[in-house]
């Protein structure tokens, strides 16, 4: 195996960053404490192909926008996507598969940022394609407010 970089650790919990593997494989997890104590889980880690995103449609919108994310290995070794954040804002996951994720944008002020996808395997992936929240429109006035078939109606807003 390969040694992983320790990001955080205490007596009961260690967080490491998985190293890049030339070969995708299942391997043992081996931990050695500074006291010399060791522990092993045989077959405790499986390296999977990293996700890749080929398109996001649309790449901008506002609350309620339906977004389709297309790519490969989007489940990151899991069976479903548990969360998607657009520009650091939580969205609602409608459907997910290895090749497509459909979400509904949450509410946000205008901003742009990366897309973060987390699967039920607890793996996450950040896209280099950005999502942009646009300024929400507002209807200020409708004139006239009543009418019949054929009535011309002006809608004023931002």
């Amino acid at each position: 195996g390969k040694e992983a970089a320790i990001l955080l650790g205490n007596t009961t919990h260690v967080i490491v960053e998985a190293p890049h593997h030339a070969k995708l494989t299942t391997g043992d997890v081996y931990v050695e404490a500074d006291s010399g104590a060791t522990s092993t889980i045989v077959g405790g880690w499986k390296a999977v192909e990293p996700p890749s995103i080929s398109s996001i449609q649309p790449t901008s919108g506002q609350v309620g926008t339906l977004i389709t994310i297309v790519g490969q290995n989007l489940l990151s070794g899991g069976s479903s996507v548990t969360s998607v954040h657009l520009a650091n804002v939580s969205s609602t996951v409608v459907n997910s598969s290895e090749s497509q994720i459909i979400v509904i944008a949450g509410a946000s002020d205008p901003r742009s940022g990366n897309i973060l996808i987390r699967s039920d395997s607890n793996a996450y992936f950040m896209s280099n394609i950005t999502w942009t929240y646009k300024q929400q429109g507002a209807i200020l006035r409708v004139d006239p407010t009543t009418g019949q078939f054929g009535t011309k109606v002006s809608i004023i807003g931002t």
Side-chain angles (χ1 to χ4, degrees), residues 53 90 139-140:
I53 293 176
S90 183
I139 297 173
L140 302 175

Side-chain angles (χ1 to χ4, degrees), residues 6 10-12 14 30-39:
I6 298 173
N10 60 36
T11 58
T12 62
V14 178
Y30 173 82
V31 177
E32 182 176 339
D34 56 5
S35 67
T38 64
S39 183

Side-chain angles (χ1 to χ4, degrees), residues 12-75:
T12 62
H13 191 150
V14 178
I15 298 174
V16 299
E17 183 173 343
H20 176 24
H21 287 272
K23 182 172 113 179
L24 301 179
T25 185
T26 298
D28 301 342
V29 175
Y30 173 82
V31 177
E32 182 176 339
D34 56 5
S35 67
T38 64
S39 183
T40 302
I41 296 178
V42 176
W45 170 254
K46 179 181 178 184
V48 297
E49 283 287 341
S52 65
I53 293 176
S54 56
S55 71
I56 298 170
Q57 291 297 325
T59 56
S60 63
Q62 42 190 257
V63 63
T65 301
L66 191 68
I67 300 120
T68 302
I69 302 167
V70 176
Q72 295 178 325
N73 307 313
L74 297 176
L75 299 181

Side-chain angles (χ1 to χ4, degrees), residues 5-150:
I6 298 173
L7 302 177
L8 180 67
N10 60 36
T11 58
T12 62
H13 191 150
V14 178
I15 298 174
V16 299
E17 183 173 343
H20 176 24
H21 287 272
K23 182 172 113 179
L24 301 179
T25 185
T26 298
D28 301 342
V29 175
Y30 173 82
V31 177
E32 182 176 339
D34 56 5
S35 67
T38 64
S39 183
T40 302
I41 296 178
V42 176
W45 170 254
K46 179 181 178 184
V48 297
E49 283 287 341
S52 65
I53 293 176
S54 56
S55 71
I56 298 170
Q57 291 297 325
T59 56
S60 63
Q62 42 190 257
V63 63
T65 301
L66 191 68
I67 300 120
T68 302
I69 302 167
V70 176
Q72 295 178 325
N73 307 313
L74 297 176
L75 299 181
S76 298
S79 60
S80 67
V81 168
T82 56
S83 68
V84 174
H85 285 77
L86 307 168
N88 208 30
V89 176
S90 183
S91 64
T92 301
V93 178
V94 175
N95 196 6
S96 64
S97 71
E98 285 286 10
S99 60
Q100 180 176 281
I101 302 169
I102 298 173
V103 299
I104 300 171
S108 177
D109 293 329
R111 67 169 81 190
S112 292
N114 292 335
I115 297 169
L116 179 68
I117 300 168
R118 183 176 295 272
S119 75
D120 61 356
S121 70
N122 254 349
Y124 66 91
F125 170 72
M126 185 172 300
S127 168
N128 59 358
I129 301 173
T130 59
W131 166 262
T132 300
Y133 276 98
K134 293 186 173 187
Q135 179 68 43
Q136 181 103 11
I139 297 173
L140 302 175
R141 189 174 83 231
V142 177
D143 187 35
T145 57
T146 61
Q148 57 195 3
F149 178 74

